[in-house]
Amino acid sequence: MNPAKRRHIFERFHAANPEPRGELEYRTPFELLIAVILSAQATDKSVNLATRNLYRIASTPAQMLALGMDGLVAHIKRIGLYRTKAKNILATCALLLERHAGAVPRERAALEALPGVGRKTANVVLNIAFGEATIAVDTHIFRIANRSGIAPGRDPLEVEQKLLKFVPPEFRLHAHHWLILHGRYVCKARKPDCPRCAITDLCEFKAKTRID
């Protein structure tokens, strides 16, 4: 895919949704961090249902740590892998208090040192909470980058590096959200909705779907 075509794609995303927002509910960087940890292999809807009540009683690392394992599990037990996530969240809260005075760090290395936080989670926090032009490659973005030809790669890291290279600078801040929302609601895994896709004429996917 040539640079001009990529630019047209992101110009259209911007025109349709100039200020895209993620669907996880949060008020602070800490709440965002916890929500993103919980969202692994879970829907944003299920995470929001859990955190609405959780954050009413525990919205800081100290408060969440005070819940203990049983108290935290009671709030998140409907989310997949809840015991592992609860263990990681409590360990993360302890480290935030011990190393960062309870604040979420803005450095990638410090974020990735927290239990349950990998590169993708760190990218989400850096992008959404701190306004850095990072791109977290989840299954939606990986699929779209390869299917459309925007940034094909063999693994999420390769796709991330290509997106950071190929996405025009003025669009990098919001590229993460545009691509995720496009993958979630239009360019779906099983059957992409090509007839109502805003970039169908620019996308290089050969097996485009037709109107039934």
Side-chain angles (χ1 to χ4, degrees):
M1 181 176 288
N2 62 53
K5 189 178 286 188
R6 289 192 186 95
R7 174 171 290 278
H8 288 324
I9 285 173
F10 286 97
E11 285 175 346
R12 290 188 190 177
F13 284 147
H14 177 267
N17 188 4
E19 296 290 334
R21 292 288 182 269
E23 296 178 322
L24 289 173
E25 297 173 1
Y26 69 95
R27 296 166 298 182
T28 65
F30 174 72
E31 290 185 356
L32 173 65
L33 173 63
I34 299 306
V36 178
I37 292 174
L38 290 172
S39 71
Q41 299 181 48
T43 65
D44 288 357
K45 181 179 179 179
S46 68
V47 172
N48 290 337
L49 288 173
T51 57
R52 283 171 197 160
N53 290 324
L54 174 62
Y55 292 159
R56 289 191 184 103
I57 62 170
S59 60
T60 68
Q63 291 171 344
M64 201 156 292
L65 201 57
L67 288 177
M69 187 71 172
D70 290 342
L72 180 53
V73 163
H75 287 279
I76 67 170
K77 61 185 178 182
R78 294 180 181 176
I79 296 175
L81 305 174
Y82 67 90
R83 289 198 176 277
T84 298
K85 291 176 181 178
K87 180 180 178 181
N88 285 336
I89 286 170
L90 293 175
T92 283
C93 289
L95 285 179
L96 289 176
L97 291 167
E98 177 185 333
R99 299 180 182 177
H100 306 288
V104 175
R106 298 187 62 153
E107 299 77 29
R108 176 185 298 282
L111 282 168
E112 292 187 19
L114 300 172
V117 178
R119 185 176 184 87
K120 183 180 75 172
T121 297
N123 277 337
V124 173
V125 173
L126 290 170
N127 177 255
I128 299 176
F130 301 122
E132 294 193 17
T134 59
I135 300 176
V137 178
D138 69 349
T139 56
H140 293 301
I141 293 182
F142 185 78
R143 179 177 69 254
I144 291 172
N146 280 283
R147 180 184 277 170
S148 68
I150 292 173
R154 294 164 294 181
D155 54 56
L157 181 58
E158 184 177 0
V159 168
E160 177 190 332
Q161 291 170 337
K162 286 188 174 181
L163 284 170
L164 291 173
K165 178 180 179 181
F166 294 148
V167 176
E170 64 268 37
F171 299 123
R172 283 181 200 147
L173 179 63
H174 293 315
H176 166 82
H177 280 130
W178 284 322
L179 292 171
I180 283 180
L181 294 172
H182 190 65
R184 187 172 290 166
Y185 297 111
V186 181
C187 195
K188 303 172 187 177
R190 292 187 179 180
K191 186 179 181 182
D193 195 354
C194 300
R196 72 179 188 93
C197 173
I199 62 167
T200 189
D201 58 316
L202 301 170
C203 169
E204 297 182 352
F205 182 50
K206 294 180 179 179
K208 290 186 172 71
T209 59
R210 307 294 179 186
I211 297 175
D212 294 331

